[in-house]
Amino acid sequence: MPNYANPAEFLRLARIAVPVTAALTGVLFAVGLYLALFDSPPDYQQGETVRIMYLHVPSAWMAMFVYIVMCSAALGTLVWRHPLADAAQKAAAPLGAGFTFLCLMTGSLWGKPMWGTWWVWDARLTSVFVLFLIYLGIIALWQVVEDQGKAARLVAIFTLVGGVNIPIIKFSVDWWNTLHQSASVFRLGGPTIAMSMLWPLLIMALAYTSLFLTLHMMAIRNEILRRRIKRLAMIAAAEGEAAPVAGIFPEPAE
Amino acid sequence: MKETLPSALFALLTRDLTIGRRIGGAASLGIVFFLCLVAITPFAIGPDLALLSRIGPAILWIAALLATLLGLDRLFQAEAEDGSLDLLLSSSAPLELIVLVKCLAHWLLTGLPLVVASPLFGLMLGLDTHALAGVFVSLLVGTPALTLIGAIGAALTVSLRRGGLLLAILILPLSIPVLIFGVAAASRAAGFAMPFLILCGLALMGLALAPFAAAAALRHSIE
């Protein structure tokens, strides 16, 4: 079995896998969106706005899933010092922030017709919001530490600290929200979701996961290539140093 | 003569306390900042004493959080700049314990004065005796937790020239649980015992885990 953790092996794998997952993403989104927008029943209470759910819920799942991916990559960085794990961490952070933002946006758009306001300090919204802040902190840490190898290890520590903290934050926010319980809190129609709504939701979740896999592989590939270019540029700069100097100060001809 | 571990750690503690006392007056500056935050809140909210006494514990807690955060970026940075951090890293004492001692010194210089001063400032916000005691006790347990969480951020940003703002961005989301249970215990919104015990649990968890995370971050920052 080839060693996929090797960057060169990964590039070879990505060349085959990216078009496949990209095509799969397209198909899944086409089917999922058709089912979600046209071929599923409107909710008896919420009417057509329930269709926002098919975009909202999978992005919330992905927001958490990407963090788990980042935690595993962080372990790869700290335990095995793996360059590919560094790239995987770095590539996942903006994607995770993007899914979290999408979740907050669609939640807000859904909240307006349902709750009559763009934002409520609902427990779930609030903890996703805090997760978004943690993603932004991770991206900021990537940007300010110049040495990328060091940045990867520092981000890995922070990601794992955040990983320990996120369940605590979730618990605290839930507790805090029941303390300040507002009068009307929206809940999904019943304890179970109807099968006619579950299928489109699951297909959309698969589509989101496949989209993440595609984008993640592309971003890792870009990161590997970016590092290669940087290394080549440094080598070129180191070699080229002598040439211009020799050009400016030519040896006097005898 | 070989230094024993307790005496080495004690020497580090007295050194940090002496430096803190002589340079910058960290303790007094922290209290003045805390006082300024408490003073500007009524200007933003209005002088209504009934409202202020209702949200007083929250004001004091936010002020304490920000005041604690303010000094944290210097927790390891001065040592990193003058090179003594390299000595600490290469010393035989475990780095985790060194981090813990530095946190203790930092808390004694910045956290403890805030806790001691909080009842006085609580009076200015119209808090009654119960609320004053609640704020005092919850801050006494909560500020060490904030310092310990902050030490992780301080260690992560130690090699950065302007790490202060990033430190706040990294640490504030992580300190939300401490804030929630600290304010809840102080304002007795859901009784005192339950949130207070959870706050103690958070502080103990910080005590157990934060030195390891901060020490790991220091090792990777400095190498």
Side-chain angles (χ1 to χ4, degrees):
Chain A
M1 181 177 164
N3 178 13
Y4 290 121
N6 178 331
E9 282 295 331
F10 176 83
L11 287 182
R12 215 166 303 146
L13 172 76
R15 199 174 305 143
I16 306 164
V18 166
V20 174
T21 54
L24 187 66
T25 306
V27 172
L28 282 170
F29 263 111
V31 175
L33 282 176
Y34 172 75
L35 288 178
L37 298 183
F38 302 105
D39 201 33
S40 68
D43 189 73
Y44 76 103
Q45 272 181 327
Q46 303 179 52
E48 301 291 340
T49 54
V50 75
R51 300 189 195 285
I52 297 173
M53 176 185 77
Y54 302 112
L55 294 175
H56 173 76
V57 174
S59 47
W61 287 344
M62 291 312 292
M64 285 178 279
F65 176 71
V66 175
Y67 202 92
I68 295 169
V69 169
M70 273 169 45
C71 280
S72 0
L75 282 177
T77 294
L78 286 180
V79 179
W80 295 287
R81 293 235 168 170
H82 225 293
L84 194 65
D86 294 9
Q89 263 196 93
K90 189 175 185 186
L95 293 174
F99 281 120
T100 316
F101 182 71
L102 195 63
C103 175
L104 289 171
M105 278 288 298
T106 49
S108 177
L109 288 174
W110 200 4
K112 185 62 183 167
M114 285 302 108
W115 292 321
T117 168
W118 295 108
W119 183 263
V120 282
W121 290 95
D122 167 70
R124 276 178 293 178
L125 279 178
T126 311
S127 17
V128 171
F129 184 50
V130 176
L131 181 63
F132 183 60
L133 291 178
I134 292 177
Y135 271 121
L136 292 186
I138 288 172
I139 295 173
L141 194 56
W142 269 115
Q143 284 174 347
V144 294
V145 183
E146 231 170 279
D147 174 4
Q148 291 294 290
K150 188 162 104 181
R153 294 193 289 282
L154 293 181
V155 169
I157 293 171
F158 183 71
T159 307
L160 292 176
V161 168
V164 173
N165 258 281
I166 285 169
I168 302 175
I169 294 173
K170 176 89 178 84
F171 162 74
S172 317
V173 169
D174 282 345
W175 186 86
W176 162 82
N177 194 56
T178 47
L179 184 67
H180 301 269
Q181 187 61 275
S182 50
S184 64
V185 167
F186 154 78
R187 285 173 159 278
L188 259 183
T192 52
I193 178 169
M195 282 307 276
S196 56
M197 290 183 175
L198 188 61
W199 271 114
L201 187 61
L202 287 179
I203 292 172
M204 285 302 283
L206 279 179
Y208 269 68
T209 313
S210 167
L211 175 68
F212 167 70
L213 282 180
T214 312
L215 292 177
H216 195 212
M217 278 194 288
M218 288 167 75
I220 293 175
R221 187 171 61 188
N222 287 347
E223 185 58 30
I224 293 172
L225 295 178
R226 198 177 294 130
R227 281 179 194 194
R228 235 176 235 184
I229 289 170
K230 199 178 172 194
R231 205 162 49 238
L232 289 177
M234 281 169 82
I235 291 170
E239 283 174 348
E241 210 173 52
V245 173
I248 293 164
F249 303 109
E251 294 288 314
E254 291 296 318
Chain B
M1 193 184 83
K2 197 172 180 335
E3 287 265 353
T4 56
L5 180 61
S7 74
L9 293 178
F10 188 73
L12 179 64
L13 180 66
T14 45
R15 169 189 173 273
D16 270 18
L17 290 179
T18 311
I19 291 177
R21 214 174 48 240
R22 290 199 185 140
I23 308 168
S28 53
L29 267 185
I31 291 194
V32 174
F33 181 66
F34 188 61
L35 182 60
C36 286
L37 286 175
V38 172
I40 59 167
T41 319
F43 292 113
I45 292 172
D48 177 8
L49 210 53
L51 175 64
L52 283 176
S53 72
R54 199 163 68 81
I55 61 172
I59 296 173
L60 288 171
W61 254 92
I62 289 181
L65 178 62
L66 295 179
T68 308
L69 208 65
L70 196 70
L72 270 171
D73 59 328
R74 298 298 294 172
L75 185 57
F76 303 112
Q77 216 161 37
E79 274 84 359
E81 279 163 8
D82 67 13
S84 49
L85 191 61
D86 293 323
L87 285 178
L88 293 177
L89 277 167
S90 58
S91 81
S92 60
L95 189 57
E96 288 77 11
L97 282 179
I98 291 176
V99 167
L100 206 55
V101 168
K102 287 196 71 66
C103 287
L104 175 65
H106 185 267
W107 180 74
L108 287 174
L109 285 169
T110 61
L112 190 59
L114 294 186
V115 178
V116 173
S118 64
L120 183 64
F121 300 157
L123 281 179
M124 294 167 65
L125 295 171
L127 297 189
D128 60 14
T129 327
H130 271 294
L132 285 179
V135 169
F136 180 81
V137 177
S138 65
L139 279 180
L140 188 65
V141 176
T143 46
L146 295 177
T147 304
L148 286 162
I149 297 171
I152 302 174
L156 285 170
T157 55
V158 68
S159 60
L160 306 176
R161 210 166 289 279
R162 294 173 54 100
L165 198 57
L166 181 63
L167 172 79
I169 291 173
L170 294 178
I171 289 311
L172 281 176
L174 301 184
S175 47
I176 287 173
V178 177
L179 185 67
I180 288 177
F181 290 106
V183 173
S187 62
R188 289 159 199 271
F192 178 73
M194 207 274 266
F196 181 70
L197 288 178
I198 296 177
L199 183 66
C200 293
L202 290 173
L204 287 175
M205 204 181 121
L207 192 66
L209 297 182
F212 290 94
L218 275 181
R219 287 197 188 96
H220 290 300
S221 285
I222 297 303
E223 69 182 11

